[in-house]
Amino acid sequence: MATFFGEVLSVYSRAVDEDDGEELEEDEEDEQIRRELEEKREVQLQWSPEVSESLRSGNKLQCSDFVLAVGHNASSFLSVYVLTPAKWDAVGRALVWNERSRAGTGQSSEESACVFHRHKDHPSVLICQVTCHIAEDQLFQWTQKVFDCLQHRQLSVTVLSDSSVADYKTADYLCSSSAPFLRSLHTTAFSDQPVCQSLEQPNIVTGLSAAVLNHCQVHRIAAVVYQCYSDVIGPDSVTMATYKPALSKLGKSIQLDMSPSTNVLRKFVRTTEIQSNLYI
């Protein structure tokens, strides 16, 4: 800067330099927050000591049938009709933390995690029950990590998925009013005949079911999704029973208890209660 006397002075602007420093500090803080949030939202797999030791040795889980239940009705169906009568071991879980699921905060409830069960007599049969929310940015990560632990040769995947009948699009009103009902979608490697008709366009499969189906399609794994459209909220005995044909072709490896006891059903069926009423 030149003075009135012609002398040139160097100018130091504290305002500009301080602002730049503050912006740099804010950028570093934001970056650190993003890194911590990414670490917190990372899907964590926790396996039993036996499975962990096998995976550390470079061996993948020998799995011929992988049944994935997504949603409360699908998961409750497995608990009532499959897990109760047979002999199963809980061999692992996937912990997921996001804005709707707090499994990564130390909670031990199985409601907040994805639980894996393995059949004692048929160790190649694996079941996973998912009742927690998995965010969009965690779907690929969950699928990649789980399937990296499984051998893909001769692997067959069956996905049972809950969906609201309000999301079902059809020109036939009578069809949507007959809920609950099943619709299927499968990969090109799936050579068997689905137990119900295919999902009609423009209906789509979303969430974890879609992520698993897409992964299986890319890796040429035989997989089928059975989506149950229901008009009730929460576990319902009628909706649960709708899934029974979906596992009828898995043979002796998964045996269904066709007549579960009332006590078993009561553990998983939630009675709908009126929270408030103007006339009470």
Side-chain angles (χ1 to χ4, degrees), residues 28-44 97-98 104 137-138:
E28 292 177 352
E29 290 177 0
D30 291 343
E31 183 63 28
Q32 182 178 356
I33 293 174
R34 281 194 293 268
R35 286 197 301 267
E36 292 177 354
L37 188 58
E38 288 177 358
E39 292 177 0
K40 200 171 185 180
R41 295 176 70 90
E42 184 177 354
V43 178
Q44 301 177 15
W97 186 96
N98 53 55
D137 61 312
Q138 297 171 321

Side-chain angles (χ1 to χ4, degrees), residues 3 8 25 30 57 76 86-87 98 140 148 169 173 193 222 234:
T3 66
V8 178
E25 290 178 0
D30 291 343
S57 301
S76 298
K87 297 179 181 179
N98 53 55
F140 175 81
D148 278 349
K169 301 175 178 64
Y173 172 76
Q193 183 67 31

Side-chain angles (χ1 to χ4, degrees), residues 61-277:
L61 288 174
Q62 300 298 314
C63 186
S64 60
D65 291 295
F66 178 41
V67 179
L68 173 66
V70 184
H72 286 283
N73 272 300
S75 297
S76 298
F77 162 73
L78 292 182
S79 295
V80 172
Y81 289 90
V82 179
L83 294 177
T84 299
K87 297 179 181 179
W88 298 80
D89 282 330
V91 294
R93 63 172 54 205
L95 299 181
V96 181
W97 186 96
N98 53 55
E99 56 278 358
R100 288 175 54 185
S101 178
R102 307 304 185 198
T105 58
Q107 297 181 8
S108 59
S109 173
E110 291 189 358
E111 282 290 315
S112 62
C114 315
V115 184
F116 295 88
H117 299 270
R118 186 167 62 178
H119 202 294
K120 291 182 178 180
D121 298 330
H122 305 279
S124 63
V125 179
L126 190 69
I127 279 178
C128 179
Q129 296 170 290
V130 181
T131 54
C132 64
H133 173 72
I134 300 179
E136 291 185 1
D137 61 312
Q138 297 171 321
L139 294 173
F140 175 81
Q141 184 185 161
W142 189 99
T143 306
Q144 191 73 28
K145 285 191 173 184
V146 170
F147 278 86
D148 278 349
C149 297
L150 308 179
Q151 58 85 17
H152 291 179
R153 186 179 180 183
Q154 297 181 343
L155 173 63
S156 178
V157 179
T158 302
V159 182
L160 311 179
S161 178
D162 291 353
S163 188
S164 172
V165 72
D167 298 328
Y168 183 71
K169 301 175 178 64
T170 178
D172 185 2
Y173 172 76
L174 294 178
C175 181
S176 59
S177 64
S178 61
F181 56 88
L182 289 177
R183 290 294 183 268
S184 65
L185 200 61
H186 59 83
T187 63
T188 54
F190 184 79
S191 59
D192 206 349
Q193 183 67 31
V195 299
C196 64
Q197 68 182 79
S198 299
L199 184 63
E200 309 93 334
Q201 294 182 349
N203 295 290
I204 59 174
V205 174
T206 60
L208 184 60
S209 303
V212 170
L213 191 67
N214 182 68
H215 180 91
C216 292
Q217 176 67 20
V218 172
H219 292 84
R220 300 178 180 179
I221 299 173
V224 58
V225 173
Y226 290 109
Q227 190 149 285
C228 181
Y229 289 92
S230 178
D231 55 358
V232 297
I233 300 175
D236 168 70
S237 59
V238 177
T239 303
M240 279 189 247
T242 308
Y243 284 111
K244 288 194 290 186
L247 300 186
S248 61
K249 292 190 176 183
L250 293 184
K252 297 181 179 180
S253 58
I254 296 183
Q255 297 179 352
L256 300 181
D257 181 6
M258 293 301 183
S259 301
S261 66
T262 305
N263 292 333
V264 172
L265 283 171
R266 284 176 180 172
K267 294 179 182 179
F268 300 96
V269 177
R270 299 173 182 174
T271 304
T272 303
E273 298 179 354
I274 300 177
Q275 300 297 330
S276 62
N277 195 307

Side-chain angles (χ1 to χ4, degrees), residues 9-37:
L9 302 177
S10 60
V11 178
Y12 174 76
S13 177
R14 294 183 60 192
V16 174
D17 288 343
E18 287 178 355
D19 289 344
D20 289 344
E22 291 177 358
E23 290 179 0
L24 181 60
E25 290 178 0
E26 290 178 357
D27 290 341
E28 292 177 352
E29 290 177 0
D30 291 343
E31 183 63 28
Q32 182 178 356
I33 293 174
R34 281 194 293 268
R35 286 197 301 267
E36 292 177 354
L37 188 58

